[in-house]
Amino acid sequence: MAKLLLKLQRYFRRKPVRFFTLLALYLAAGSLVFLHSGFSGEPTVPGSPRSPAAAEGPGLPYLGVMQLSRGFKAAATIPAGNRRHGPWFRNTSKEPSDRGKFRDNSGPRSRALRGRSGREKEEDRARYIGCYEDNTRQRTLRGMSFFDYKKMTVFRCQDNCAERGYLYAGLEFGAECYCGHKIQASNASESECNMECKGERSNTCGGINRLSIYRLELAQESARRYGSAIFRGCFRRPENISIALPTSQLMLNMSVDKCVDFCTEKEFPLAALAGTTCRCGFPSTLFPLHEREDEQLCAHKCAAEEFESCGSAEFLLVYQTQVQDNRCMDRRFLPSRAKQLVALASFPGAGNTWARHLIELATGFYTGSYYFDGSLYNKGFKGERDHWRSGRTICIKTHESGQKEIESFDSAILLIRNPYKALMAEFNRKYGGHIGFAAHAHWKGKEWPEFVANYAPWWATHTLDWLRYGKKVLVVHFEDLKRDLFVQLQRMVALLGVTACEDRLLCVEGQKDGNFKRSGLRKLEFDPYTPEMRKTIGAYIRTVDAALKLRNLSGVPEDYYPR
């Protein structure tokens, strides 16, 4: 036996290719045996005598699926494509949960139905309910929405909506996701939901003004009932309360949860607690939420919750629900070519993307860009693809500071931000993306000192150049925009030559953060600025302050000093 093994060893040493070929065949044979052992029965087809689905009754339509028998081992419970599903799904089917489902794509069904094969698995964890009409001015699903024109998938939309406690998730135009608690439109033909998902071409994500809608089975009812309502403050009862807050209900066992839940189901963005009465509505000129009262005036205990305040008949405790205020969400290109080119100019990191978001909501028109940023286009800034001289956008984002570039614009909104904050924001964007963060190694390495040395002088020259060469410049400080958004946005819209009603601007206040605001949760544990950096930046601040005052403008805000 030993001699035989020795001869084989010498043989394969001379001819290693044959050795590896035999080894591969051996492993392949072993894999087939292992896979075969995973089955203990034959596949069955619904409708046949052996199929468990044949006895399910007429409640569910036959969709041409083939079911694996229960004998398929644990591997059979993994969804096709190894798709992950969060804990927010609940299995409502009475059938055993270890049975995968597959669609027969050879039938006469449309491509829209075939594209949903991956979604109708998983025992109705997210159940597709149909194709529905949609309207940009009156949305079918009126909760949160977000866009991704590159990576949108059905699961991503479902996951985001379910995470926020919504009942329905709808996809439109291949890249737009809408959430809501109620469907407020009619059914459309399935053939009209015919657009592939941008990030998953095997599935369908609605169509033009058509939503592919899924019902989400939430694991926790509390996620839907209360979710992430935002406390807005204590406010005096408006004079025409039945007009300002048109929907109300008497709740003897009042609690914050119950009132927020009620207004959410009624599709209102505001829930106002007035003792034993819950009122719902929108921010409006009758109830603008600009004059907050002392919270002690609303400190009346709730009947159902000992440690919660429920306001009173005269002083209302107001929360913002998860319902999205759609009065300012419609956006489009200008109907005719703009006569003037208006710049939205800023130093990088000064909040230009956020300002674009606010302007688009306030005016209803897309903003353009001197550059092209694919990530911004994919997130919904559709003017990003247009040439900056196209005249189809309300204003043009630019970071340019040369005389020739500045003089090519007829007017400008110049956004200025505290240089200490702007430099850190741009450094985070450069190394972490638009809403990401730079790594600790970047702050401690050579990248940060080199960045400050190159960018700090640019912060000053950018402002000085626009003040010197700009034809008609409106200066807006980022800090003032955050502090008094309504007033500053009115100034910006007036320069753009657009008439925006107050209700629309109040709507913007409720949607002001958008998708391009850093969470702020990740704070540096040290000051990245050295004494030498602070001394240099302080000199630049004084230079800009003097230049602003020389043109009879207010200087830089006080919080630029001291550092």
Side-chain angles (χ1 to χ4, degrees):
M1 186 66 181
K3 289 182 179 181
L4 178 61
L5 291 174
L6 186 61
K7 286 181 180 181
L8 286 172
Q9 183 182 6
R10 289 176 180 173
Y11 174 76
F12 285 124
R13 189 179 295 171
R14 289 194 300 269
K15 302 192 177 188
V17 174
R18 294 186 181 182
F19 171 74
F20 287 115
T21 302
L22 287 172
L23 181 62
L25 290 171
Y26 172 77
L27 292 174
S31 299
L32 288 172
V33 171
F34 174 77
L35 289 172
H36 181 71
S37 67
F39 292 89
S40 62
E42 293 294 325
T44 58
V45 181
S48 69
R50 298 177 59 188
S51 170
E56 288 181 1
L60 294 174
Y62 170 65
L63 297 176
V65 297
M66 181 180 74
Q67 300 174 334
L68 290 177
S69 70
R70 299 183 191 179
F72 194 57
K73 302 296 184 188
T77 63
I78 300 174
N82 295 321
R83 185 164 300 285
R84 176 182 64 85
H85 283 277
W88 40 268
F89 282 126
R90 178 182 62 202
N91 180 12
T92 58
S93 172
K94 295 181 181 179
E95 293 296 318
S97 62
D98 59 345
R99 196 175 67 211
K101 295 184 179 180
F102 301 87
R103 179 184 299 280
D104 178 6
N105 286 329
S106 62
R109 286 281 178 176
S110 66
R111 184 171 67 82
L113 282 177
R114 291 201 307 268
R116 284 187 293 274
S117 60
R119 306 280 94 63
E120 288 179 357
K121 302 172 189 177
E122 318 305 330
E123 296 83 24
D124 292 339
R125 290 171 176 172
R127 181 163 55 89
Y128 175 74
I129 59 174
C131 182
Y132 285 80
E133 297 175 355
D134 196 23
N135 188 308
T136 55
R137 296 187 179 277
Q138 196 75 9
R139 289 292 180 188
T140 301
L141 296 175
R142 301 177 185 175
M144 182 211 73
S145 65
F146 74 97
F147 309 144
D148 193 330
Y149 289 89
K150 188 175 181 181
K151 299 179 181 178
M152 181 61 74
T153 65
V154 174
F155 174 71
R156 185 181 176 200
C157 179
Q158 292 173 352
D159 196 34
N160 275 271
C161 293
E163 205 172 72
R164 290 161 176 79
Y166 290 103
L167 286 175
Y168 298 99
L171 295 107
E172 181 174 333
F173 204 63
E176 301 174 2
C177 176
Y178 297 90
C179 312
H181 293 284
K182 188 188 300 182
I183 299 173
Q184 304 192 60
S186 304
N187 281 92
S189 169
E190 289 295 335
S191 61
E192 295 178 37
C193 285
N194 55 10
M195 298 187 73
E196 296 175 337
C197 302
K198 296 294 184 182
E200 189 179 32
R201 298 196 178 277
S202 61
N203 280 316
T204 300
C205 288
I208 299 174
N209 289 332
R210 294 295 181 267
L211 280 168
S212 297
I213 297 183
Y214 296 80
R215 179 182 172 87
L216 309 173
E217 299 299 337
L218 300 178
Q220 294 183 350
E221 182 72 13
S222 60
R224 182 172 74 247
R225 287 180 58 252
Y226 191 29
S228 55
I230 300 168
F231 177 66
R232 295 296 300 269
C234 178
F235 298 90
R236 187 180 294 275
R237 171 193 170 107
E239 290 185 7
N240 299 314
I241 193 166
S242 59
I243 300 174
L245 300 169
T247 299
S248 64
Q249 181 165 304
L250 181 67
M251 295 182 178
L252 297 179
N253 291 322
M254 172 71 83
S255 70
V256 175
D257 285 15
K258 290 178 181 176
C259 187
V260 168
D261 185 31
F262 172 72
C263 293
T264 298
E265 290 180 356
K266 296 294 182 181
E267 300 287 346
F268 285 101
L270 293 184
L273 289 81
T276 56
T277 303
C278 175
R279 297 186 177 274
C280 314
F282 295 90
S284 65
T285 52
L286 295 174
F287 196 47
L289 303 183
H290 286 164
E291 298 180 7
R292 293 177 63 163
E293 302 287 347
D294 187 338
E295 289 181 23
Q296 289 300 316
L297 297 172
C298 290
H300 297 270
K301 283 196 306 183
C302 296
E305 293 290 343
E306 182 181 355
F307 300 104
E308 287 184 357
S309 297
C310 280
S312 66
E314 290 300 318
F315 293 95
L316 314 182
L317 209 58
V318 180
Y319 287 83
Q320 185 170 321
T321 71
Q322 300 174 51
V323 176
Q324 189 166 8
D325 189 345
N326 286 310
R327 295 175 298 169
C328 58
M329 297 306 293
D330 59 301
R331 288 169 289 174
R332 61 193 185 282
F333 288 103
L334 292 173
S336 58
R337 185 181 175 88
K339 295 179 181 179
Q340 292 190 330
L341 288 176
V342 184
L344 178 61
S346 73
F347 174 77
N352 199 302
T353 301
W354 180 55
R356 288 178 68 184
H357 164 75
L358 297 176
I359 289 170
E360 290 194 1
L361 294 187
T363 64
F365 296 113
Y366 289 118
T367 58
S369 177
Y370 195 82
Y371 323 97
F372 170 68
D373 189 329
S375 66
L376 291 181
Y377 177 83
N378 292 332
K379 298 298 182 183
F381 289 93
K382 293 184 179 179
E384 196 74 18
R385 272 191 176 176
D386 268 38
H387 188 274
W388 65 280
R389 285 186 177 275
S390 70
R392 296 207 306 158
T393 53
I394 193 70
C395 64
I396 312 297
K397 164 191 173 178
T398 180
H399 298 310
E400 300 302 309
S401 56
Q403 179 180 355
K404 181 180 178 182
E405 288 79 7
I406 292 173
E407 290 179 345
S408 62
F409 291 96
D410 301 296
S411 58
I413 297 170
L414 178 59
L415 191 63
I416 304 174
R417 187 181 186 183
N418 185 326
Y420 293 100
K421 300 289 182 65
L423 288 169
M424 292 177 69
E426 176 59 11
F427 190 71
N428 276 321
R429 186 206 64 81
K430 187 174 181 180
Y431 289 98
H434 279 284
I435 55 174
F437 294 88
H440 187 271
H442 292 134
W443 293 101
K444 287 295 189 180
K446 64 179 182 179
E447 292 91 344
W448 172 244
E450 290 178 355
F451 178 86
V452 173
N454 292 326
Y455 277 68
W458 183 17
W459 175 85
T461 58
H462 182 277
T463 300
L464 298 175
D465 283 356
W466 276 96
L467 292 175
R468 181 179 180 184
Y469 301 118
K471 297 172 186 175
K472 183 182 177 182
V473 179
L474 172 68
V475 174
V476 176
H477 292 284
F478 176 87
E479 292 75 18
D480 292 340
L481 186 60
K482 284 184 65 179
R483 190 180 301 116
D484 195 358
L485 185 142
F486 189 85
V487 171
Q488 296 301 324
L489 203 51
Q490 278 183 319
R491 296 176 64 220
M492 295 162 72
V493 169
L495 180 78
L496 296 171
V498 176
T499 302
C501 66
E502 276 194 56
D503 281 356
R504 186 170 185 115
L505 294 178
L506 290 168
C507 169
V508 176
E509 282 190 309
Q511 317 291 330
K512 62 183 180 181
D513 286 344
N515 296 322
F516 283 90
K517 181 178 183 295
R518 282 189 180 85
S519 66
L521 299 177
R522 183 173 171 183
K523 300 289 187 182
L524 286 176
E525 297 178 355
F526 60 92
D527 184 356
Y529 292 101
T530 64
E532 292 76 15
M533 291 177 183
R534 287 197 290 270
K535 182 179 179 180
T536 302
I537 294 171
Y540 293 140
I541 292 174
R542 289 189 290 273
T543 301
V544 169
D545 185 61
L548 290 169
K549 290 177 178 177
L550 190 64
R551 287 161 178 79
N552 295 320
L553 301 170
S554 60
V556 298
E558 291 182 2
D559 55 5
Y560 285 27
Y561 301 104
R563 278 297 288 195

